[in-house]
């Protein structure tokens, strides 16, 4: 009898199934792939040198030490709102632009500076913070940051001198380029607790102060320092609030 050959059917993966698999792998690598550089110190600054050049790693801003600020409050110019034109965020340029050309947007620059235990997105060349920990200066809380549509808002970037405040106290006369530089100046930015930032909104020191009292001296120093650096005026009630705090600060 002639032998019977058992026919074998080749299993083929359909194109739609293959595309689903490829997409799933891509998403996994994007979210959970090789981790980027972590920062133990948390300042995110990498001094230029052979290792940085070899890897083309971005050089981030050196951390700012607000404690070194000692603004001359007597030099502040007191004035009420100076602009009759309504404030518009777009007048300060695109949010979180890469104004310093280091390859990272301003929001991530500040996260890198202010957070610790950083983990970067694998494909971001050390720019996009995926996770980290914030020791919040405003509340004293320790906040775990995870990048995502439902989690990123736990840590927000606060303009120490709000953009709308700056608009009313001199920025309305600036050029677009000057306003964009101000909106992205790290001296006026801090990574903070999201709800605290929302509570502050566009308030000056007379209306809002950090819930953590230990930070009040640094807060008013930075607020006044930014006004002086940019030639902005201050509302009389805000100067009174700053002076009251400053009177109790260490010399």
């Amino acid at each position: 009898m002639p032998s019977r050959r058992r026919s074998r059917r080749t299993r083929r993966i359909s194109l739609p199934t293959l595309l689903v698999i490829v997409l799933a792998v891509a998403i996994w690598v994007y979210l959970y792939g090789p981790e980027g550089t972590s920062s133990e110190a948390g300042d995110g600054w990498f001094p230029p040198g052979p290792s940085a050049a070899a890897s083309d790693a971005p050089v981030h801003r050196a951390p700012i030490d607000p404690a070194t600020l000692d603004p001359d409050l007597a030099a502040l110019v007191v004035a009420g709102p100076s602009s009759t034109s309504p404030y518009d965020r777009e007048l300060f340029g695109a949010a979180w632009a890469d104004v310093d050309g280091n390859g990272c947007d301003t929001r991530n620059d500040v996260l890198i500076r202010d957070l610790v235990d950083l983990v970067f997105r694998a494909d971001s060349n050390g720019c996009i913070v995926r996770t980290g920990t914030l020791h919040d200066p405003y509340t004293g809380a320790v906040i775990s940051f995870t990048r995502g549509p439902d989690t990123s808002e736990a840590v927000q970037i606060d303009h120490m001198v709000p953009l709308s405040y700056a608009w009313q106290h001199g920025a309305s006369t600036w050029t677009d380029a000057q306003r964009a530089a101000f909106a992205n100046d790290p001296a006026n930015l801090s990574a903070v607790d999201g709800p605290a930032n929302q509570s502050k909104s566009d308030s000056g020191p007379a209306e809002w102060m950090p819930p953590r009292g230990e930070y009040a001296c640094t807060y008013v120093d930075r607020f006044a320092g930014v006004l002086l650096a940019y030639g902005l005026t201050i509302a009389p009630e805000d100067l009174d609030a700053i002076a009251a705090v400053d009177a109790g600060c260490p010399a």
Side-chain angles (χ1 to χ4, degrees):
M1 277 180 77
S3 61
R4 295 182 180 179
R5 293 183 178 179
R6 181 179 298 175
S7 61
R8 295 182 179 178
R9 294 183 180 179
T10 303
R11 294 185 178 180
R12 295 182 179 179
I13 300 176
S14 65
L15 181 58
T17 302
L18 181 61
L19 290 175
V20 169
I21 294 173
V22 171
L23 180 60
V25 171
I27 292 175
W28 187 93
V29 171
Y30 178 82
L31 293 175
Y32 305 108
E35 296 178 351
T37 305
S38 65
S39 171
E40 304 241 342
D43 58 28
W45 181 66
F46 304 96
S51 60
S55 64
D56 292 327
V59 179
H60 300 290
R61 302 177 188 274
I64 296 168
D65 182 6
T68 62
L69 293 175
D70 187 18
D72 179 9
L73 301 186
L76 290 168
V77 177
V78 178
S82 62
S83 176
T84 57
S85 302
Y87 161 74
D88 186 339
R89 173 62 180 84
E90 293 184 359
L91 294 168
F92 286 80
W96 311 133
D98 178 17
V99 295
D100 61 359
N102 73 342
C104 305
D105 63 70
T106 301
R107 173 177 167 79
N108 279 289
D109 275 339
V110 177
L111 291 175
I112 291 166
R113 186 195 70 190
D114 292 352
L115 273 60
V116 297
D117 304 324
L118 298 175
V119 175
F120 297 100
R121 203 176 75 183
D123 62 347
S124 70
N125 194 28
C127 270
I128 299 177
V129 176
R130 199 173 79 193
T131 63
T133 302
L134 172 69
H135 294 266
D136 177 42
Y138 284 178
T139 65
V142 178
I143 303 169
S144 295
F145 169 80
T146 300
R147 179 178 179 268
D150 299 322
T151 55
S152 289
E153 290 301 301
V155 173
Q156 299 178 15
I157 308 301
D158 177 45
H159 286 92
M160 190 75 50
V161 175
L163 300 185
S164 60
Y165 190 100
W167 175 262
Q168 291 294 335
H169 289 272
S172 61
T173 65
W174 296 350
T175 65
D176 291 343
Q178 288 172 321
R179 284 191 288 267
F182 178 83
N184 292 276
D185 187 344
N188 190 38
L189 298 171
S190 285
V192 300
D193 171 68
N197 186 46
Q198 294 296 321
S199 173
K200 175 187 174 183
S201 186
D202 58 358
S203 301
E207 295 180 327
W208 189 91
M209 289 290 292
R212 177 174 164 247
E214 297 93 325
Y215 191 69
C217 291
T218 299
Y219 182 77
V220 298
D221 274 359
R222 289 188 65 183
F223 196 99
V226 170
L227 295 181
L228 289 170
Y230 281 89
L232 296 169
T233 62
I234 187 171
E237 62 272 20
D238 291 322
L239 179 59
D240 290 343
I242 287 177
V245 172
D246 189 68
C249 295

